[in-house]
Amino acid sequence: MIEDDAPKKKIFRKPAVSRKYCEQMRDKYNLNLIDVEVTQDQTFKVNCVFYNEEFNFQELWYDN
Amino acid sequence: MTTKKPNSRGVLILFYAESDEAGWENRRNPLGTLTDYLKEHQNRQSYPEIPQPGYRLPQIKRNLTTDEPDRLDSRDGDWIVTRVHRYSAMSGNCEWEETVICYCQYQPVTPQWERVPRLEEISQEKKPEFVATSSE
C-alpha cells in the first residue's frame, strides 16, 4: 500500500503594502496566489492569499 | 516512465461559470458588461497542480465580526469545476507558460468558514534562529 505522504496544502495570508507586492512574492517564491483582499489595517493595504504546500517560509517571513 | 518537466513560467488558471448558470444576470465586470468570469489563480509553482472536475473553488471573505482587524475566512465555495481546457504559450516571452480555463457549475454547499492564518502562525516551528557561526 502506498501511503500518501505528499505535503499538505495550506491557505495562508501575508499582509502587504500593495497589490504589486503580492505579485512580486508570487514570482520570487513560486507561489500560488489565489486572492488579494483589501484590508483596513493601518500598516498594510492588502492581504495576499496563497495556497501552497508547506515550504521553507523563512525567507518569505522576513520579506517586507 | 515519463519525467515531469518543471514549469518555468507558471500557470494562469481562470474560472468561468458555465453559460446561464446561477446569477448570470447580475454578474458584471467593472465596465458593466455581463460576464461569466468568476476568479483566477496565478500559480508560479514549478509543478503547478491543475484543477480537475470536481474541484471546489475556494471562497475568501473578510470577517468584520471579530476583534481581529484584518481577519479573512475561507471555505470550499459553491462553484465546482466541470471541465478543464488547457492552452500553452505560443512564444517564449509570454508571461505564463500555460493558461487553463475551468468551467464551473453552481452547486452550493453548507458554508463552513475557517479563519485564514497569517504566514507567521503556520510557520512557527520554522522560525529561524540566527546563530553566529565562525569561519575557520
Side-chain angles (χ1 to χ4, degrees), chain A residues 9-15 26-27 30-35 37-41 47 49 52-55 57-58 60-62, chain B residues 39-45 49 55 58 60 62 68 70-72 74 95-96 116-120 122-123 125-128 130:
Chain A
K9 283 195 167 182
K10 292 180 166 76
I11 292 180
F12 61 93
R13 65 181 178 89
K14 181 165 171 61
R26 174 202 71 195
D27 296 346
N30 298 116
L31 299 175
N32 183 11
L33 177 64
I34 67 170
D35 209 342
E37 281 288 337
V38 175
T39 178
Q40 292 183 328
D41 187 283
N47 271 302
V49 184
N52 273 85
E53 295 89 3
E54 197 167 309
F55 67 107
F57 293 115
Q58 294 182 15
L60 179 58
W61 183 330
Y62 286 106
Chain B
K39 197 177 172 72
E40 66 185 47
H41 291 179
Q42 301 171 1
N43 196 335
R44 292 285 194 204
Q45 293 177 286
E49 191 174 332
Y55 172 76
I60 313 288
R62 288 172 63 193
E68 194 176 343
D70 61 343
R71 172 171 166 159
L72 293 182
S74 72
E95 181 161 350
W96 302 96
V116 176
R118 287 178 64 134
L119 168 66
E120 293 82 355
I122 63 171
S123 55
E125 68 279 10
K126 289 185 170 61
K127 186 175 181 180
F130 293 102

Side-chain angles (χ1 to χ4, degrees), chain B residues 22-136:
Chain B
W24 67 266
E25 63 272 19
N26 297 317
R27 201 160 35 243
R28 294 185 181 269
N29 64 23
L31 297 180
T33 314
L34 286 175
T35 180
D36 290 324
Y37 172 82
L38 297 174
K39 197 177 172 72
E40 66 185 47
H41 291 179
Q42 301 171 1
N43 196 335
R44 292 285 194 204
Q45 293 177 286
S46 298
Y47 299 95
E49 191 174 332
I50 306 298
Q52 296 299 311
Y55 172 76
R56 275 198 179 267
L57 188 55
Q59 186 175 345
I60 313 288
K61 73 166 186 181
R62 288 172 63 193
N63 186 334
L64 303 174
T65 64
T66 70
D67 292 335
E68 194 176 343
D70 61 343
R71 172 171 166 159
L72 293 182
D73 290 350
S74 72
R75 70 174 180 100
D76 283 344
D78 295 329
W79 293 92
I80 192 164
V81 173
T82 53
R83 53 196 176 107
V84 178
H85 292 180
R86 301 174 66 165
Y87 304 87
S88 295
M90 296 290 286
S91 66
N93 62 351
C94 292
E95 181 161 350
W96 302 96
E97 189 152 324
E98 186 175 346
T99 298
V100 177
I101 298 180
C102 299
Y103 295 92
C104 304
Q105 275 184 353
Y106 184 69
Q107 293 184 20
V109 290
T110 304
Q112 290 185 324
W113 293 100
E114 291 181 4
R115 179 179 172 275
V116 176
R118 287 178 64 134
L119 168 66
E120 293 82 355
E121 295 167 35
I122 63 171
S123 55
Q124 284 295 324
E125 68 279 10
K126 289 185 170 61
K127 186 175 181 180
E129 293 178 6
F130 293 102
V131 178
T133 57
S134 59
S135 57
E136 302 192 42

